[in-house]
Amino acid sequence: MDPECSRLLPALCAVLADPRQLVADDTCLEKLLDWFKTVMETESSLQLLQDHPCLMELLSHVLKPQDMSPRVLSFALRLVGIFAAQEDCFQYLQGDPSLFVASAASQLLVHILALAMQGGASGSPTREAAAWPVCAQKIVNHVEESLHSKATPQVTQALNVLTTTFGRCHSPWTRVLWERLSPSVACLFERDPIPAVHSLMDLLLSVARSPVLNFSACGLWEMLAQTLNRLSPTQAGPLALGTLKLQHCPQELRTRAFSVLLQPLACILKATTQAPGPPGLLDGAADSLLTVDTLLSSKSTCVGLLCQTLAHLEELQMLPQCPSPWPQVPLLGAAVTILRLCDGSADPSSSVGGRLCGTLGGCVRVQRAALDFLGTLSQGMGPLELVLEVFAVLLKTLESPESSPMVLKKAFQATLRWLQNSHKTPSCSDLSADALLFLGELFPILQKRLCSPCWEVRDSALEFLTHLIRHWGGQADFREALRSSEVPAFAHQLLQDPESYVRASAVGAAGQLSTRGLQAAPTSPENPQAQQGLLMDLMHILSTDSEGFPRRAVLRVFTEWLRDGHADVVQDTEWFVATVLQAVSRDLDWEVRVQGLELAQVFLIQAMGQPSLRCPYTVGLPEATSPSPHPEFLQTLCRLPLFEFAFCALLDCDRPVAQKACDLLLFLRDKTSSCSGTQEVGDNPSSASVEAVLQRWREGEQGQLLGDLDPEAMLAILRSLDLEGLQDKLAKSSDHVEKSPQSLLQDMLATVGILEENEADCY
Amino acid sequence: MPEIRVTPLGAGQDVGRSCILVSISGKNVMLDCGMHMGYNDDRRFPDFSYITQSGRLTDFLDCVIISHFHLDHCGALPYFSEMVGYDGPIYMTHPTQAICPILLEDYRKIAVDKKGEANFFTSQMIKDCMKKVVAVHLHQTVQVDDELEIKAYYAGHVLGAAMFQIKVGSESVVYTGDYNMTPDRHLGAAWIDKCRPNLLITESTYATTIRDSKRCRERDFLKKVHETVERGGKVLIPVFALGRAQELCILLETFWERMNLKVPIYFSTGLTEKANHYYKLFITWTNQKIRKTFVQRNMFEFKHIKAFDRTFADNPGPMVVFATPGMLHAGQSLQIFRKWAGNEKNMVIMPGYCVQGTVGHKILSGQRKLEMEGRQVLEVKMQVEYMSFSAHADAKGIMQLVGQAEPESVLLVHGEAKKMEFLRQKIEQEFRVSCYMPANGETVTLPTSPSIPVGISLGLLKREMVQGLLPEAKKPRLLHGTLIMKDSSFRLVSSEQALKELGLAEHQLRFTCRVHLQDTRKEQETALRVYSHLKSTLKDHCVQHLPDGSVTVESILIQAAAHSEDPGTKVLLVSWTYQDEELGSFLTALLKNGLPQAPS
């Protein structure tokens, strides 16, 4: 701890210990804890406590039952946790109604239990709990008593302490702990209703993940299996997923858990399929826990259970622990069926199916979850008929006037995933014939969606279009399908959309279309204006749009065009760069300015080559000198004026701009180092502060105004700047001084007793 | 047992970041999703793991409601929806929907600018989050699902701020967000109807304060600005782009006009036009005066306030500059501050709260030597003023709102514990309702009485009306009948109809009672005495003396008999039907007091 902080600490402790003093705000206390943690990384906590008796005084004072504010109490507890000392006050603290204090208390208990066992467990690790250190015994007794309590909050607390313990401590003593407490835990399952179900499940999973327990011996698997049977389908879902995620778990239990997750979808299939239909889910399973009647007992139960199930299966499919074989076909069937039930296109063959239709019809929640799941299922594909059904249901959703903006967005995402995966057939990389047929139907719908009155829909449609072009813009069939639609023209029109988000997406889409030569008016040799028109449109957006998003989007497109050698840019690159920089230098959005510098850098790299790598191991080796740039190019830089732009950006009030400018100028200096310069600014090259140099130039000391620089003067300024120094300064966050511990302690002390009015204020 | 549960994840005894979880009849709603400006890491967001534990947010929550665009109420939204992964609907008013992304974007830019933070939400995330928003109109009842409905009320405070009523069946909660009970220069006062919610969750920022008149503060502000520019100094007013800035702009604009001042006023970052645009677009949300004068002159088209250019800061002479951000923690306002701080002629006016660590916080707590980057020490010689212009209801206003809504109980959030405690007592005393003030993470559970709708037969109602008692809305009424529970519905019908419907025969239930009287006369004479006594006492009832010597009052039958053992005592046998239970009990009590002495 530095001396200044040591000096300030006693006064601060006194303030904290005094319940009459208002502590500035709890962020200060949080930051104070952060600081103690950092200090403890390098100093021993015992030493710290000895050197600063004020800390011990504060802790022992605060932990006495008195009128102490919960925030200071919670702070003190966590500080104690950090110091891993003092265990007198658990009982008192465990009863605190505030979750945050209680959570701090249970963290502390676990710390202490672990510490006590670590210190005392030198003997046989499996020795009787009765021989454990007194302090550990006390904690275990307390936990055991709490488990038998009739009050659910107390049971929850105890379970949470245990969950944390088994999650954190993997020493052999935890086995003894589980042996001792598992009967009490098992008792909880006999109660009706089961108390603290979520915490109980967390505990079982935490124990199951522990590497030191021998599960078959301690009956954990049985307990898990019983729990899965005992809980309601909604409650059992998370436990089933957790079980399937376990590394080591008997196959039988995994099968059981998986069937819990599949049950609701199996129910749906059973209720909607006319016998004899395609194979369902869990056809052979004898003990169906869930009947359709339970599923349909109430709308909210049904909706909740389906959403949860779909989300769990979606998560599961992406995990390495995903069950194999994965019932792809019936799951796909179920997802399609659910979407049909939601959009009303299902043909309810049975009365139960009819009821399902009524429950799920127009249910956006289920629709969203099913579309997400359907998207994930695209990884596994399926038989052709089913894939066609998927495309059909997606088209229906995209077309339906009932679909909400969120549903449409999800439908677009799912569609993209199915398109991407449908061409992954071994034979060709082109879009499949079915996908092309699908696109033929899709484009008119997309066209309609681009004119939607909801900006959300227009925007999602544009994003979707941009992705499509990025993927398939080079393929002849796709190009033809797109060209024969009016989609490009509609996308172009959205450059004038009243909503800035949409304008930005339209810029992206138009940029992509142009890159691929797919713009609205087909460019023929006779009609180059259309193309040139887009460049001018984008320039216009860059210099006049009132919102940052479209301007940023334009720069992204421009940078990409410059990088890829887009025909319009290549035509007159110098004019292009100059015009862009001129617009950017006036921009109020610093991200636009950063992107302007990025574009400038691309321009420089194209002319001067990649930046040389500064590898620390090559020190001493003769550096491969890059050929010195053509003098004419340096003239160009002055004329653009790229140099002036970068130079002014060095002093930008927004740090990332200055940082980027600094990098750019370093690159430039590096590349021009071989150019001989006769003119020097100041006596010591590479030493002048940027501010001073700019000041001198402004004052016309060199008889030249910025902007009228010649290459000689430019190189001279470049060499005179301490760019490395500036780079170091900028690399630090702009508030590193404000974030220092001294600043924190000073602020806390400065606030005591004053500004009561300000404190109550807010935004 | 039905109940309402409330757990603040933020704003529980603090003003950091509002985020309150409400469970009502099995529906879970999150009220506000605010960000704490005082942290630089994930702690700036509410700790959502406290709610989810083992489940997904989207499955758990039925909807999120945002009260207004201030970041301590909506700043965590993109994190919550795009990084934690909430996919459900988010409700807010139209102006909030329009302005919220601008402020989020503004904040993102400052955060990234300052720290180059990589783990912060992106522009794309803000947009994706805004796509989940469903905008609502004032007083429009929005059906979230079949059971859950919400409704917005005007809250003042900032453009588009709303209070929300959340209702499931007959149970309801009202959440005020931040509100103001007095109109200001551009907004009106909060209003809610007498909706009698089970619970009113109200902010309590100024729980113990009765604020001085706004006029005084405004005069003070203008005086300070005027004096400074008069002596050639520069005034810096750090603000957040939208909100209070507009109020202050109108104030200065009017003053400049009135005093015919020529000193330039600037507003940085081009946000004036944007703000202007939104205030025009949502003119119906401003106050009456602005709406009225709008046709002749738009209050938001400023004559004296011009856009600021970076180079203006070095210009000589007086000027007033509104610059963002509001806490002097980055960007333009900080840059100008550094330029002007050394001159005692200049002044900085902080119109709002500053979090620890910011330069704004330091100068407000009286620190005058600030260490800046590169070990430089900046000596602050300019004058530092704090003037609160935040538009919150004061203690009087809060009490007024409670009186207006007539809740069954009140819960205080968004304030400090000590001040809340004072207000809590005041509310409990004055309104005789329970008042809670949970800390963050602490759950308040309110039992509510289950509400069961019962249909009443027309016959029964008609009978009631014949008795001249017209039903009156909102007033409880006692109604006798037979409750039939059939096919999971409840109906109240007359007993005759119930018997008919159920095919039951009527039984009569009679109560009997013996009353001993000291009377040596014959039974017939005793009966006659009872008759005369009752006749004179019960003037409104039909009292009869029957030929067999018994006395009747309505269905009540009284017979006198001799005592088997004591000739000086007579026994009165009183019996009555269930329907006349009240009268029967009364009569028995009357007779037990004995008969008046005979006049002889």
Side-chain angles (χ1 to χ4, degrees):
Chain A
M1 191 183 294
D2 73 58
E4 179 60 14
C5 292
S6 292
R7 195 183 63 78
L8 294 168
L9 198 56
L12 187 71
C13 287
V15 170
L16 291 176
D18 184 352
R20 287 164 309 173
Q21 296 281 11
L22 290 171
V23 181
D25 63 50
D26 47 5
T27 63
C28 296
L29 296 175
E30 289 280 330
K31 291 174 194 164
L32 209 54
L33 282 173
D34 289 351
W35 173 55
F36 276 116
K37 272 183 218 155
T38 335
V39 171
M40 239 85 86
E41 277 165 18
T42 51
E43 292 177 38
S44 106
S45 52
L46 188 66
Q47 192 63 44
L48 197 68
L49 286 170
Q50 281 168 353
D51 290 350
H52 302 92
C54 60
L55 284 172
M56 263 325 283
E57 279 163 30
L58 170 69
L59 293 177
S60 46
H61 184 76
V62 164
L63 296 177
K64 281 178 210 146
Q66 57 178 324
D67 182 25
M68 189 52 72
S69 90
R71 53 169 78 147
V72 176
L73 186 59
S74 166
F75 162 79
L77 273 170
R78 291 165 65 189
L79 188 60
V80 175
I82 295 175
F83 287 126
Q86 292 288 322
E87 84 250 22
D88 309 335
C89 41
F90 319 129
Q91 308 284 342
Y92 161 64
L93 290 162
Q94 280 276 309
D96 190 282
S98 161
L99 252 177
F100 293 91
V101 175
S103 154
S106 53
Q107 303 271 344
L108 177 58
L109 279 180
V110 177
H111 271 305
I112 293 165
L113 184 63
L115 195 75
M117 291 310 295
Q118 229 170 17
S122 47
S124 160
T126 51
R127 64 186 178 157
E128 281 302 299
W132 284 8
V134 185
C135 140
Q137 282 188 42
K138 256 188 176 175
I139 295 174
V140 175
N141 288 341
H142 174 60
V143 169
E144 197 171 23
E145 268 168 42
S146 304
L147 285 176
H148 290 289
S149 162
K150 290 276 173 286
T152 306
Q154 222 162 327
V155 177
T156 312
Q157 293 282 5
L159 291 170
N160 290 349
V161 169
L162 290 178
T163 305
T164 318
T165 308
F166 288 106
R168 274 208 208 132
C169 313
H170 299 146
S171 310
W173 60 266
T174 52
R175 200 182 306 156
V176 186
L177 182 68
W178 179 244
E179 276 163 20
R180 158 129 181 229
L181 293 179
S182 59
S184 308
V185 173
C187 281
L188 293 174
F189 287 106
E190 281 154 27
R191 294 201 209 165
D192 191 25
I194 303 174
V197 173
H198 284 310
S199 302
L200 200 49
M201 290 191 305
D202 283 347
L203 173 63
L204 292 186
L205 291 173
S206 169
V207 172
R209 280 190 289 262
S210 167
V212 286
L213 271 76
N214 180 2
F215 306 114
S216 34
C218 63
L220 181 78
W221 302 135
E222 288 78 12
M223 207 187 269
L224 270 173
Q226 277 165 14
T227 316
L228 282 174
N229 290 343
R230 175 74 209 285
L231 297 175
S232 75
T234 316
Q235 288 174 327
L239 183 64
L241 181 66
T243 308
L244 285 164
K245 281 185 191 168
L246 292 173
Q247 297 288 343
H248 312 284
C249 170
Q251 188 52 42
E252 206 182 324
L253 184 61
R254 281 178 64 84
T255 312
R256 176 86 222 119
F258 194 35
S259 70
V260 166
L261 287 187
L262 295 177
Q263 288 282 357
L265 299 192
C267 268
I268 297 274
L269 280 181
K270 215 182 265 175
T272 49
T273 317
Q274 288 152 314
L281 283 163
L282 305 172
D283 274 343
D287 55 337
S288 181
L289 288 172
L290 181 70
T291 62
V292 185
D293 282 332
T294 357
L295 184 68
L296 281 169
S297 62
S298 90
K299 180 169 176 170
S300 56
T301 320
C302 177
V303 168
L305 182 60
L306 277 182
C307 289
Q308 180 187 290
T309 305
L310 291 166
H312 282 160
L313 287 169
E314 187 191 336
E315 189 183 337
L316 193 61
Q317 200 197 352
M318 292 184 285
L319 294 175
Q321 298 96 319
C322 170
S324 172
W326 175 258
Q328 171 79 4
V329 173
L331 282 178
L332 206 48
V336 170
T337 306
I338 291 174
L339 282 170
R340 287 205 173 132
L341 287 167
C342 291
D343 70 18
S345 66
D347 177 25
S349 53
S350 62
S351 67
V352 187
R355 274 166 66 204
L356 265 175
C357 259
T359 309
L360 297 180
C363 180
V364 179
R365 266 183 87 173
V366 174
Q367 227 174 344
R368 283 193 316 245
L371 283 167
D372 277 343
F373 182 51
L374 188 67
T376 315
L377 282 175
S378 68
Q379 290 172 6
M381 292 306 287
L384 186 61
E385 319 86 272
L386 212 46
V387 174
L388 291 179
E389 275 190 53
V390 169
F391 280 136
V393 82
L394 284 171
L395 274 181
K396 175 98 196 332
T397 313
L398 289 171
E399 199 173 16
S400 165
E402 312 277 293
S403 297
S404 73
M406 258 321 270
V407 165
L408 282 174
K409 186 182 165 197
K410 300 231 175 244
F412 277 130
Q413 284 170 340
T415 305
L416 196 68
R417 295 181 76 171
W418 274 92
L419 281 173
Q420 277 169 353
N421 285 309
S422 75
H423 79 262
K424 279 185 189 161
T425 42
S427 54
C428 70
S429 62
D430 271 3
L431 280 165
S432 65
D434 309 308
L436 273 171
L437 213 61
F438 171 69
L439 281 179
E441 289 183 67
L442 179 69
F443 284 136
I445 297 174
L446 187 60
Q447 210 166 295
K448 207 177 86 191
R449 290 302 180 193
L450 287 172
C451 311
S452 164
C454 289
W455 73 265
E456 295 93 335
V457 176
R458 296 196 300 276
D459 190 77
S460 301
L462 282 169
E463 285 182 334
F464 174 70
L465 175 65
T466 312
H467 281 297
L468 280 186
I469 305 167
R470 193 163 282 148
H471 271 96
W472 296 288
Q475 289 179 21
D477 292 337
F478 174 85
R479 296 170 67 90
E480 204 175 308
L482 185 64
R483 274 211 183 110
S484 60
S485 77
E486 283 184 81
V487 168
F490 278 73
H492 188 91
Q493 277 170 21
L494 292 179
L495 288 174
Q496 269 120 43
D497 199 276
E499 186 62 45
S500 62
Y501 280 138
V502 179
R503 287 200 299 280
S505 297
V507 167
Q512 266 304 316
L513 280 166
S514 168
T515 305
R516 300 288 196 167
L518 284 163
Q519 59 279 8
T523 41
S524 56
E526 312 89 67
N527 183 17
Q529 280 87 357
Q531 180 67 25
Q532 200 61 33
L534 178 63
L535 179 68
M536 294 319 286
D537 284 347
L538 296 187
M539 282 291 189
H540 182 72
I541 291 176
L542 180 63
S543 46
T544 58
D545 203 300
S546 63
E547 301 281 340
F549 318 110
R551 302 200 305 269
R552 276 183 251 154
V554 167
L555 273 178
R556 269 196 300 275
V557 168
F558 279 173
T559 309
E560 208 176 304
W561 281 4
L562 182 65
R563 202 175 272 140
D564 300 347
H566 190 282
D568 300 328
V569 173
V570 173
Q571 220 170 31
D572 189 350
T573 313
E574 195 179 315
W575 170 85
F576 172 76
V577 175
T579 317
V580 171
L581 293 188
Q582 199 191 2
V584 166
S585 60
R586 290 193 307 258
D587 206 295
L588 290 166
D589 184 331
W590 66 257
E591 280 171 304
V592 173
R593 300 199 294 278
V594 167
Q595 284 183 346
L597 286 160
E598 172 74 32
L599 183 130
Q601 195 168 17
V602 170
F603 176 68
L604 288 180
I605 288 173
Q606 282 183 341
M608 306 170 110
Q610 288 295 328
S612 50
L613 292 170
R614 290 161 183 271
C615 173
Y617 303 108
T618 58
V619 176
L621 290 172
E623 220 176 295
T625 47
S626 46
S628 53
H630 202 278
E632 261 180 45
F633 180 69
L634 296 179
Q635 287 281 4
T636 310
L637 291 187
C638 293
R639 207 168 44 237
L640 277 175
L642 187 144
F643 180 68
E644 188 195 343
F645 173 65
F647 198 86
C648 291
L650 273 185
L651 294 177
D652 200 290
C653 67
D654 292 297
R655 194 177 59 97
V657 181
Q659 224 172 351
K660 187 87 195 167
C662 196
D663 291 349
L664 185 106
L665 288 173
L666 273 167
F667 167 78
L668 201 59
R669 195 182 71 187
D670 196 31
K671 290 290 178 187
T672 53
S673 57
S674 55
C675 297
S676 61
T678 50
Q679 208 177 337
E680 292 293 346
V681 176
D683 301 327
N684 317 324
S686 293
S687 64
S689 87
V690 180
E691 296 244 9
V693 173
L694 186 69
Q695 195 62 34
R696 265 186 278 165
W697 277 98
R698 281 226 174 102
E699 285 160 7
E701 193 184 291
Q702 301 296 318
Q704 269 174 312
L705 289 169
L706 270 170
D708 284 340
L709 285 172
D710 62 39
E712 276 288 296
M714 178 187 97
L715 294 178
I717 297 178
L718 207 49
R719 279 195 290 270
S720 71
L721 292 175
D722 178 17
L723 288 173
E724 280 87 358
L726 185 65
Q727 198 180 31
D728 285 347
K729 206 170 120 185
L730 290 170
K732 287 181 190 152
S733 70
S734 63
D735 60 351
H736 72 276
V737 175
E738 293 167 26
K739 274 202 302 202
S740 69
Q742 290 97 308
S743 153
L744 174 65
L745 298 179
Q746 279 162 357
D747 283 1
M748 288 181 79
L749 285 170
T751 324
V752 173
I754 60 158
L755 298 169
E756 258 193 57
E757 183 68 7
N758 301 4
E759 205 176 341
D761 204 353
C762 50
Y763 315 106
Chain B
M1 188 68 184
E3 57 185 28
I4 294 175
R5 268 177 296 129
V6 182
T7 315
L9 297 181
Q13 301 181 7
D14 76 33
V15 287
R17 73 208 131 183
S18 290
C19 184
I20 300 142
L21 205 68
V22 173
S23 298
I24 167 169
S25 298
K27 298 283 171 184
N28 298 308
V29 178
M30 194 161 100
L31 303 170
D32 282 336
C33 188
M35 172 171 63
H36 204 309
M37 310 275 263
Y39 291 114
N40 304 318
D41 49 29
D42 275 355
R43 282 175 294 184
R44 70 181 121 218
F45 306 122
D47 187 353
F48 299 114
S49 66
Y50 274 99
I51 18 173
T52 53
Q53 288 183 5
S54 52
R56 296 185 338 136
L57 275 176
T58 312
D59 297 332
F60 179 79
L61 282 180
D62 291 278
C63 73
V64 174
I65 294 174
I66 301 295
S67 64
H68 64 287
F69 64 62
H70 276 152
L71 291 176
D72 59 330
H73 293 259
C74 71
L77 256 190
Y79 170 79
F80 179 69
S81 76
E82 306 310 306
M83 295 169 95
V84 185
Y86 169 74
D87 242 359
I90 301 165
Y91 292 90
M92 54 179 79
T93 64
H94 286 275
T96 307
Q97 183 197 28
I99 297 169
C100 182
I102 300 176
L103 292 195
L104 287 170
E105 181 66 15
D106 207 41
Y107 186 76
R108 182 192 67 79
K109 286 170 79 77
I110 291 168
V112 177
D113 172 348
K114 229 170 118 176
K115 330 246 161 44
E117 283 175 80
N119 193 24
F120 202 70
F121 50 76
T122 61
S123 280
Q124 178 73 31
M125 287 176 185
I126 298 175
K127 178 169 85 176
D128 288 339
C129 166
M130 293 314 292
K131 284 187 179 174
K132 296 174 183 169
V133 170
V134 182
V136 302
H137 293 285
L138 283 181
H139 303 166
Q140 170 199 6
T141 301
V142 178
Q143 216 58 54
V144 176
D145 58 34
D146 293 348
E147 294 143 313
L148 175 62
E149 61 180 49
I150 59 171
K151 189 172 173 181
Y153 292 93
Y154 192 79
H157 188 62
V158 287
L159 192 72
M163 306 191 264
F164 277 90
Q165 183 188 37
I166 302 112
K167 204 168 163 193
V168 182
S170 62
E171 283 174 25
S172 67
V173 171
V174 168
Y175 172 58
T176 65
D178 291 353
Y179 63 102
N180 192 3
M181 292 298 279
T182 50
D184 60 21
R185 267 169 200 273
H186 72 295
L187 296 169
W191 181 86
I192 194 160
D193 56 24
K194 209 169 274 308
C195 51
R196 296 197 173 91
N198 298 77
L199 178 68
L200 173 77
I201 304 176
T202 173
E203 68 133 322
S204 50
T205 317
Y206 290 124
T208 55
T209 321
I210 305 288
R211 299 194 81 189
D212 54 350
S213 89
K214 206 160 201 131
R215 291 256 168 265
C216 292
R217 255 175 297 143
E218 289 176 354
R219 249 201 321 268
D220 204 19
F221 169 76
L222 293 171
K223 196 172 145 223
K224 278 180 177 140
V225 173
H226 194 194
E227 278 170 6
T228 308
V229 293
E230 281 287 282
R231 61 167 183 261
K234 296 176 165 66
V235 180
L236 172 64
I237 309 173
V239 287
F240 283 99
L242 276 144
R244 216 161 349 198
Q246 277 65 46
E247 180 81 5
L248 293 178
C249 283
I250 296 179
L251 191 61
L252 276 189
E253 170 86 7
T254 331
F255 185 71
W256 249 234
E257 186 79 33
R258 187 154 50 93
M259 305 292 286
N260 198 18
L261 296 179
K262 296 285 177 268
V263 175
I265 307 176
Y266 300 114
F267 199 117
S268 73
T269 74
L271 278 161
T272 22
E273 303 90 59
K274 215 180 283 180
N276 192 7
H277 169 71
Y278 285 113
Y279 279 82
K280 268 195 258 178
L281 196 62
F282 300 114
I283 194 77
T284 52
W285 285 79
T286 56
N287 69 22
Q288 239 178 356
K289 192 181 162 202
I290 291 205
R291 272 179 295 178
K292 268 190 192 158
T293 55
F294 182 67
V295 189
Q296 306 129 30
R297 189 180 160 266
N298 178 1
M299 283 277 235
F300 297 101
E301 260 158 26
F302 301 115
K303 203 170 105 192
H304 299 273
I305 303 171
K306 308 260 160 44
F308 181 74
D309 183 282
R310 271 178 283 173
T311 55
F312 292 175
D314 297 319
N315 288 356
M319 66 174 90
V320 180
V321 176
F322 287 94
T324 57
M327 302 188 196
L328 290 177
H329 51 301
Q332 209 151 47
S333 62
L334 183 60
Q335 199 179 40
I336 300 172
F337 173 79
R338 290 170 80 153
K339 278 184 201 279
W340 295 358
N343 190 338
E344 62 273 12
K345 273 205 288 187
N346 298 341
M347 177 184 282
V348 58
I349 300 182
M350 308 295 299
Y353 173 74
C354 296
V355 300
Q356 186 274 322
T358 59
V359 170
H361 182 273
K362 284 176 193 294
I363 57 171
L364 280 182
S365 63
Q367 300 180 53
R368 288 294 173 266
K369 286 203 166 118
L370 307 180
E371 192 192 332
M372 305 306 260
E373 278 78 36
R375 291 270 156 199
Q376 283 172 291
V377 173
L378 180 69
E379 197 167 341
V380 182
K381 289 186 184 153
M382 76 197 298
Q383 293 182 55
V384 179
E385 293 288 342
Y386 174 79
M387 307 208 109
S388 167
F389 280 93
S390 67
H392 293 273
D394 63 3
K396 222 168 88 189
I398 298 170
M399 297 299 279
Q400 197 184 332
L401 187 88
V402 176
Q404 227 172 65
E406 283 191 10
E408 281 173 21
S409 45
V410 177
L411 189 143
L412 304 178
V413 292
H414 202 279
E416 285 168 72
K418 284 197 176 157
K419 296 183 179 178
M420 279 182 175
E421 183 56 45
F422 173 83
L423 184 67
R424 188 175 73 85
Q425 287 174 9
K426 208 162 153 349
I427 288 175
E428 290 193 336
Q429 272 166 19
E430 192 153 320
F431 296 103
R432 305 263 162 225
V433 296
S434 351
C435 183
Y436 308 86
M437 39 174 283
N440 284 332
E442 189 182 338
T443 302
V444 167
T445 307
L446 297 172
T448 53
S449 19
S451 152
I452 302 160
V454 174
I456 300 181
S457 76
L458 201 61
L460 196 65
L461 266 183
K462 277 185 181 160
R463 200 165 73 185
E464 283 289 309
M465 278 163 72
V466 166
Q467 290 176 7
L469 305 163
L470 283 172
E472 196 184 325
K474 291 186 179 176
K475 271 218 166 149
R477 258 295 277 292
L478 194 66
L479 208 66
H480 288 280
T482 307
L483 188 70
I484 299 184
M485 297 185 261
K486 208 172 150 191
D487 298 333
S488 65
S489 75
F490 292 77
R491 280 181 309 129
L492 193 71
V493 298
S494 65
S495 47
E496 297 82 21
Q497 195 184 334
L499 290 169
K500 209 171 115 190
E501 271 187 38
L502 301 171
L504 296 174
E506 192 173 4
H507 294 264
Q508 208 175 52
L509 194 66
R510 285 193 84 87
F511 299 95
T512 56
C513 178
R514 281 159 192 270
V515 179
H516 294 255
L517 278 182
Q518 292 299 319
D519 193 353
T520 47
R521 277 166 271 208
K522 287 202 162 121
E523 294 92 35
Q524 290 88 335
E525 283 174 50
T526 310
L528 198 64
R529 282 184 69 201
V530 168
Y531 169 71
S532 341
H533 177 48
L534 293 181
K535 186 86 183 165
S536 62
T537 317
L538 304 167
K539 291 215 167 65
D540 294 338
H541 292 273
C542 168
V543 184
Q544 282 178 303
H545 192 203
L546 300 183
D548 67 352
S550 52
V551 176
T552 63
V553 183
E554 313 287 350
S555 76
I556 299 157
L557 183 71
I558 306 161
Q559 286 172 323
H563 197 277
S564 52
E565 286 159 20
D566 177 8
T569 303
K570 296 289 166 299
V571 182
L572 294 179
L573 299 162
V574 188
S575 86
W576 64 92
T577 64
Y578 166 71
Q579 284 82 356
D580 280 325
E581 157 72 9
E582 216 172 311
L583 186 63
S585 312
F586 173 71
L587 263 184
T588 327
L590 189 73
L591 292 171
K592 274 181 182 164
N593 286 338
L595 299 172
Q597 285 303 309
S600 61

